[in-house]
Amino acid sequence: MYPIRPLLFLAALFATGSSHADWHYDQQAIMGTEIHLQFWLDDDSKAGEINRAVMDEFRRIDATLSPYKENSELSRVNREAGKGKVTVSPELAEIIDKSLHYSDSTGGAFDITFATVGSLYDFRKGQKADTQTTADLLPAVNYRHIALDKHKHRLAFKNPRTKIDLGGIAKGYSVDRAVAILQSFGVHNASVSAGGDARLLGDKHGKPWLIGIRHPRDKSKNAAVIPLENTAISTSGDYERFFIDSDDHRVHHIFNPATGLPTDTDAGDEDGKQGADQDKLISVSILGPRGFDTDPLSTSVFVLGKHKGLALIEQLDGFEAIVIDADHRMFFSSGLQQ
């Protein structure tokens, strides 16, 4: 059913030894994922400097926004904001403000306070929060508990148990920052990816970039290959971080804030019927101008489901969606059907 292609990012690797115009490529493990960088430089004498600047920016963002690093700004916020107002950096205030925008516009489908419960899950060890703990903490999962003064850069949590996680927006933000650095060096053709988030600058020197959307149940295949240029694309799927529990149920990292549980992709709803199952998604890809928007939108559409999610994208200028439902059927927003 699906064409067999290499995994997610279909960028060819080129040597960087020439002193003339050339492609330059690097791959490093940062932010808990693989960072891929490829760019064309007319004068490759600055290639090493550009590469370091981009990768250093990813490391800086990781050091600031990681919930796993004790000394990160985000960890400090999670320790202190439930006790009263804390001062945050302009950067963190901007990211939280953008997160709250998408919480409002999606009716809470995107909600960084999912971490209140989500932080208790360990996907490497296959551990999840128990039913009683989830029920006890659920009232603290609500983006309306976040009190942000974006002008004074002050933040507080109205519920002392609330925690936040920026995993649904930080990588999209980081690829935008990487592209801004590349542009500052005069680079016009580049691709940057961080896990499921990618940003393309220009084209592939006369040809479109070919971006693969991974088949959600077979990592050796792609569900689609799309020619793109000058755009961002973010993919959220239930295959990225997950484990199978003792009930043979897929437990993944994309949480439904309304339930405090991973968004259900492989079990029936209370209402039960086939229509409800058909609305469930296992992969969502959003195309748009910036990763800062496509990243939270891919999470939002995943939580909303096929019908509400595609309806949301149809209301937004400049954005398109490709979704795959639980029956492995692919659907496109109207702009991609033309």
Side-chain angles (χ1 to χ4, degrees):
M1 176 178 178
Y2 299 123
I4 299 177
R5 303 287 296 196
L7 257 180
L8 178 66
F9 213 76
L10 303 181
L13 307 186
F14 291 84
T16 62
S18 171
S19 60
H20 307 293
D22 206 349
W23 287 105
H24 301 269
Y25 180 85
D26 194 15
Q27 174 181 334
Q28 296 188 30
I30 311 172
M31 298 183 74
T33 191
E34 290 294 326
I35 307 298
H36 295 259
L37 169 65
Q38 184 177 347
F39 60 94
W40 175 269
L41 199 60
D42 291 333
D43 178 2
D44 66 3
S45 62
K46 291 187 176 180
E49 180 184 358
I50 294 172
N51 188 86
R52 285 191 298 273
V54 169
M55 293 301 178
D56 284 349
E57 180 68 353
F58 277 105
R59 291 189 183 91
R60 183 195 68 79
I61 293 171
D62 185 38
T64 301
L65 303 182
S66 172
Y68 306 109
K69 297 181 185 298
E70 184 178 350
N71 294 326
S72 73
E73 184 177 14
L74 182 65
S75 293
R76 178 180 66 84
V77 164
N78 279 332
R79 288 193 300 267
E80 299 176 5
K83 303 173 185 178
K85 293 182 180 180
V86 297
T87 300
V88 299
S89 64
E91 179 178 53
L92 183 55
E94 179 187 11
I95 295 171
I96 293 176
D97 184 54
K98 173 73 79 168
S99 299
L100 293 175
H101 163 76
Y102 279 112
S103 295
D104 283 331
S105 62
T106 63
F110 185 80
D111 190 336
I112 59 178
T113 69
F114 82 88
T116 307
V117 176
S119 61
L120 302 179
Y121 283 64
D122 189 322
F123 291 93
R124 292 182 178 178
K125 296 180 179 180
Q127 297 176 350
K128 59 182 178 179
D130 61 71
T131 302
Q132 187 59 54
T133 299
T134 299
D136 290 344
L137 288 175
L138 189 58
V141 179
N142 192 322
Y143 70 94
R144 295 179 180 87
H145 293 323
I146 301 174
L148 173 69
D149 185 330
K150 63 181 179 181
H151 301 294
K152 295 182 178 179
H153 308 141
R154 300 280 284 172
L155 175 69
F157 299 154
K158 298 175 184 178
N159 189 310
R161 299 184 299 172
T162 296
K163 296 182 184 299
I164 61 174
D165 188 308
L166 301 174
I169 193 169
K171 291 185 179 67
Y173 172 79
S174 69
V175 297
D176 288 346
R177 289 289 307 135
V179 165
I181 290 172
L182 290 165
Q183 290 174 317
S184 73
F185 279 96
V187 173
H188 301 289
N189 304 87
S191 63
V192 187
S193 70
D197 297 280
R199 177 84 183 267
L200 309 171
L201 179 59
D203 60 16
K204 196 176 179 182
H205 217 244
K207 298 183 291 185
W209 297 96
L210 296 178
I211 304 301
I213 296 174
R214 174 179 156 176
H215 188 299
R217 294 296 180 263
D218 187 343
K219 65 181 181 180
S220 69
K221 300 179 180 179
N222 278 332
V225 178
I226 314 170
L228 296 173
E229 58 186 70
N230 270 325
T231 193
I233 179 170
S234 296
T235 298
S236 296
D238 69 356
Y239 55 85
E240 296 170 17
R241 290 167 54 207
F242 75 96
F243 59 88
I244 305 299
D245 67 12
S246 58
D247 296 323
D248 201 31
H249 189 88
R250 181 180 293 259
V251 180
H252 61 87
H253 74 296
I254 305 174
F255 283 75
N256 183 342
T259 64
L261 299 169
T263 304
D264 198 3
T265 61
D266 62 358
D269 281 353
E270 289 292 327
D271 296 334
K273 315 302 181 193
Q274 184 179 13
D277 289 338
Q278 290 175 341
D279 201 51
K280 294 172 184 173
L281 299 174
I282 58 177
S283 176
V284 172
S285 295
I286 303 296
L287 286 71
R290 299 196 306 164
F292 203 18
D293 298 291
T294 59
D295 193 2
L297 280 171
S298 67
T299 301
S300 302
V301 171
F302 192 99
V303 173
L304 288 169
K306 181 178 69 178
H307 292 95
K308 290 182 179 179
L310 287 176
L312 171 67
I313 297 303
E314 296 294 349
Q315 297 172 7
L316 302 176
D317 292 334
F319 293 91
E320 301 294 344
I322 303 167
V323 304
I324 302 175
D325 70 8
D327 292 327
H328 302 183
R329 297 176 301 176
M330 189 178 301
F331 300 87
F332 301 87
S333 57
S334 59
L336 294 177
Q337 298 175 15
Q338 300 173 2

